[in-house]
Every structure is written in structure tokens, then in C-alpha cells.
Amino acid sequence: PNSKITLSIMSYYNSIGRFICANRRFFSNAAPGQSLKIPTRHSRHLPPPACLLIDQLRDTTDEILESSPGFLIPYNSSQRDDAWHAWDLADITVQKVEWLIRGYSAQVENTQMHKQYSIEPNEDPRKCVEQILKLVEKMEEEGKMFMDLRSKMRSQLAVEERKDPDEDLSWKNRDIEINKEANNGQSSDISRGQAFASPGQTIAMFDTLLDTMSMVTDDNTPATVGNIVKRIEERFQQDGGLAYNVNPNTVPTQMTWNAGLRAIANTDNSCEKTRDDALTSAFSIFHHLGDANVKRNSATYAFMVQIVAKYIPPSEISANVAHGLWHLAKEDQVINKNLMKAMELIDSGGYKKHEQFMTENVRGKTIEDIPQDWRKFGVSLRCALEDDTY
């Protein structure tokens, strides 16, 4: 009897499986424009929401920028007065601002948002970057005001608690001692919920900003990128840094750093100040990649070689720096065709060692000619597997 029941159950689920598979094939082969009765793709694979109606984009942006200070992220005291509570209060505003920023980015050709939505641009690209910067700065102002008000409220509560002689403070002292032990004897403000990155600015905002800036550059772009990267690193450290930061809103991604490098690589080498800012910011980003526990990938090295080719004059130095980047990419097993193409841009001024290097490794070769161990993670470490930009 048990075997009969088992066979009946197997037959039942096999029939269901054939039905599901048949329906998947039916919907996937639907004619263009035919509406689907059920979704066939998980929402995580869909483009993030963006404001694509230009009038709505402008009006909502004005509404955000003209709002009264402290209105967008109002402070609300709670027993759980920590980072998660703060981000809960900011969530609606954060989503709206990210929605607007993606909308502006979609108006600029060759950005990630434009690739996903493929809309006809209706706004000047420089105006788009300007508006995104204003929105990000507005979020910084709102976050600062939130933290200032929070600090004042907590100070006032602390004064009132000290005035109460009957209050049992043993549990607070015990928590502080536990935190000291967890941090090798040092009392951590972050572990007690007293210090964290202000709510408002998210890594998604910075990613989209840098990606958009990479398509609209000027002489000040490298310096601006450097300042943005400092802000990102500062917020990452405020939330605990490499050891303790578990807040996805402040942890950088590969797109964060690579978009910054792309912006620098696309900037014209017009003067010495631009050159100095470009090299300083680029190598600072390259260093930060290790600090934030984000692995360098193919795009990182390709953009770095492009920067070396553009900003370091033809010489043995430019060739040697490029060789060093190539060998690091080989150790990280991320060499790809974009890096090989970037190496072609290096002008060594006739340096024989470079010519020999290019003949052995790059010229007349395809990616299939490169040993597998050198390119093992060329795809898997991409920010998005289907796109090799970042």
C-alpha cells in the first residue's frame, strides 16, 4: 500500500511539473506585445524604478529641493534609537530621491539607467548631473539635521536621567563593559547605537551619480570624484568600517569605485591640475578598493590602464606602471579583452621591454589565447554578470 501511495504522489507531481514547464515555454515564446498572464521573471532582475516622465521629474525635484530643512527626514524619538530606526524614518524619502536620480541618469546616453530603459533624452546631460548633485547634497543636509536633533534630544534625556537618583543605571554600565570587551577594551559609540552614518545618502545614489558623471565630464571631474569618494569612505567608516559595517546603504560596491575610475578615464587631460587630480583620485580609489573589501575586477584594471595612458606622458614610467597593473590583474585572475585593449593605448616612447611585453601578451592575441588561470574570474567578479562595464 505504501508503494502505491508513493507512486501516486510521484505521478501527481510529475504531471504538475510537465504543466509548469509547458506553461513556461508558452509564455517565454509569446509574441512581442502579447501580455503575459503571470510574471516570468523575478523582480530582482527587473530595472530599478526610475522617474521617466520629464515634467514629473522636474516638478518632484523642485518639491524635494524646496522643502523646509528637516521636513524630509523628521526625527522621531524611539526606544530603539539606532541606525535601523533612523533609516526606517528616512525610507520613503530615500526611495523617492533614488527614483528621481535614476530618472535623471536615464536621460544621459550610455549610463547604466539609459541602457536599461533606452528612452529618448529630453534633458541636457549637464543639467542632469547638476540636479543629481543637488539631490545628493540635499540628502546630506537632511541627514546632518537629523543627527544634530538626535544628539540634542539624547543629551537632554541623559541630563534628565542623571537628575533621577532612584534610577538603576547598572544595566547601562553592564552594556558599556560588554562593549569594551568586544572592542578590545575600547568603548565603541557605534556598538551602543550612539554614532553612525546619517540617514539619507545611500550608496545607490553615489553609484548612479558617478555613473552619470562618467558620461558628462569636465576639467573639475577628477577633483569632484575624489571628494565624493572621500565622502563614501567616511560614511563607510562611520558605520563600523570593514569589521562591523553591515548597513547596505553605506557599503560600497564595485560599481562605486569603477564608475569613479571611468569618470576620470573619460576626462580630457587639459591641464596640469586636471592631471594631478586625476592621478591622485584614481590611485586613491584603487587603494580604497582593498579597504572596503571589494575585490578589484577586470573593469578596475582596464580603467586604471586607460588613466595611466592618458595622464602619464609617453615614457618608461607609464609602461612600467601599466605592466604592474597587468601583473596584479593576472594574480587576481581577471584579465579580459577590455584590459588587453587598454594596454594597446600605452605609449612607452619606444621602450624595448614594453614592446617585448606587448608582443608576448597582447598584440595579435585574443582572450582565448590568454591562459585560463589569468582570466578565471573575469566574468564572475563583474558588478552585473550580463554587462562588462563595471
Side-chain angles (χ1 to χ4, degrees):
N2 291 336
S3 61
K4 289 183 179 180
I5 294 173
T6 303
L7 288 173
S8 298
I9 293 173
M10 291 177 62
S11 176
Y12 171 73
Y13 280 108
N14 282 336
S15 63
I16 290 178
R18 288 193 297 272
F19 173 79
I20 292 173
C21 291
N23 277 278
R24 283 178 177 171
R25 288 193 293 271
F26 171 78
F27 286 118
S28 63
N29 292 331
Q34 180 180 343
S35 61
L36 302 181
K37 295 181 180 179
I38 60 173
T40 59
R41 196 179 189 195
H42 195 280
S43 59
R44 71 173 180 269
H45 298 301
L46 299 177
C51 183
L52 303 178
L53 301 178
I54 192 65
D55 291 335
Q56 184 183 27
L57 181 61
R58 292 168 178 167
D59 292 343
T60 310
T61 299
D62 291 340
E63 176 188 322
I64 292 290
L65 296 179
E66 295 172 5
S67 63
S68 302
F71 175 76
L72 297 177
I73 310 178
Y75 177 73
N76 181 12
S77 181
S78 170
Q79 288 185 344
R80 183 179 180 178
D81 195 11
D82 58 5
W84 306 115
H85 173 67
W87 282 100
D88 282 343
L89 296 174
D91 185 59
I92 294 176
T93 296
V94 165
Q95 290 191 52
K96 181 182 287 188
V97 172
E98 288 182 350
W99 176 66
L100 293 172
I101 289 175
R102 295 189 194 105
Y104 280 112
S105 184
Q107 298 287 332
V108 181
E109 293 184 348
N110 294 324
T111 62
Q112 296 301 100
M113 287 297 103
H114 185 265
K115 289 178 182 178
Q116 296 195 46
Y117 285 103
S118 301
I119 64 172
E120 187 69 25
N122 293 305
E123 187 68 278
D124 177 64
R126 296 197 178 279
K127 178 71 172 179
C128 291
V129 173
E130 179 184 334
Q131 292 297 85
I132 294 175
L133 278 169
K134 287 181 179 179
L135 287 168
V136 172
E137 289 170 359
K138 179 67 173 178
M139 287 296 95
E140 182 175 7
E141 294 172 3
E142 288 290 318
K144 185 177 184 301
M145 180 164 290
F146 178 94
M147 297 300 285
D148 288 345
L149 181 57
R150 177 178 179 272
S151 178
K152 291 177 182 178
M153 291 293 292
R154 290 172 66 88
S155 297
Q156 182 177 350
L157 289 173
V159 171
E160 293 176 357
E161 287 175 354
R162 283 196 293 269
K163 291 180 180 178
D164 186 358
D166 298 329
E167 183 179 10
D168 182 11
L169 299 180
S170 60
W171 64 274
K172 293 185 179 180
N173 295 328
R174 184 170 61 252
D175 284 350
I176 292 174
E177 291 302 321
I178 292 173
N179 288 322
K180 285 182 178 180
E181 293 177 5
N183 294 279
N184 297 324
Q186 297 181 352
S187 179
S188 169
D189 287 340
I190 294 173
S191 62
R192 295 202 307 275
Q194 294 182 359
F196 50 84
S198 60
Q201 291 179 322
T202 66
I203 206 65
M205 295 179 189
F206 288 119
D207 286 358
T208 307
L209 168 61
L210 291 168
D211 178 55
T212 309
M213 286 179 60
S214 70
M215 293 293 100
V216 189
T217 62
D218 56 33
D219 292 348
N220 295 321
T221 296
T224 304
V225 168
N227 292 332
I228 293 172
V229 167
K230 287 180 182 177
R231 180 63 177 155
I232 292 170
E233 178 66 14
E234 178 183 278
R235 290 176 61 77
F236 176 69
Q237 295 299 335
Q238 286 175 345
D239 272 347
L242 186 59
Y244 301 107
N245 193 344
V246 292
N247 183 359
N249 291 307
T250 59
V251 175
T253 66
Q254 286 164 322
M255 182 176 176
T256 308
W257 308 119
N258 288 338
L261 292 176
R262 186 189 188 197
I264 296 171
N266 288 343
T267 303
D268 292 333
N269 185 9
S270 57
C271 62
E272 290 185 359
K273 183 180 183 305
T274 301
R275 178 201 65 195
D276 294 345
D277 289 339
L279 291 174
T280 301
S281 298
F283 282 95
S284 175
I285 291 173
F286 191 77
H287 171 72
H288 281 315
L289 272 162
D291 289 348
N293 200 30
V294 179
K295 293 184 178 180
R296 303 179 180 113
N297 61 12
S298 303
T300 306
Y301 289 104
F303 290 136
M304 284 298 298
V305 172
Q306 291 176 31
I307 290 167
V308 169
K310 178 172 287 188
Y311 294 102
I312 299 181
S315 61
E316 293 184 12
I317 295 176
S318 64
N320 288 331
V321 173
H323 295 173
L325 291 169
W326 173 275
H327 287 296
L328 286 175
K330 184 174 71 172
E331 290 178 3
D332 290 339
Q333 300 176 296
V334 294
I335 289 177
N336 72 346
K337 62 181 181 181
N338 292 338
L339 177 55
M340 296 174 69
K341 185 177 179 180
M343 291 296 296
E344 296 276 10
L345 301 174
I346 298 295
D347 185 354
S348 65
Y351 184 33
K352 291 184 178 179
K353 183 179 178 181
H354 177 68
E355 296 302 318
Q356 181 182 356
F357 172 87
M358 294 296 291
T359 301
E360 293 176 354
N361 297 284
V362 180
R363 291 192 184 124
K365 298 182 181 294
T366 64
I367 189 62
E368 286 75 19
D369 297 324
I370 301 298
Q372 178 66 27
D373 286 344
W374 296 12
R375 53 189 173 91
K376 184 177 181 180
F377 301 115
V379 174
S380 61
L381 288 181
R382 290 176 183 172
C383 186
L385 294 180
E386 67 278 3
D387 183 17
D388 66 353
T389 304
Y390 299 123

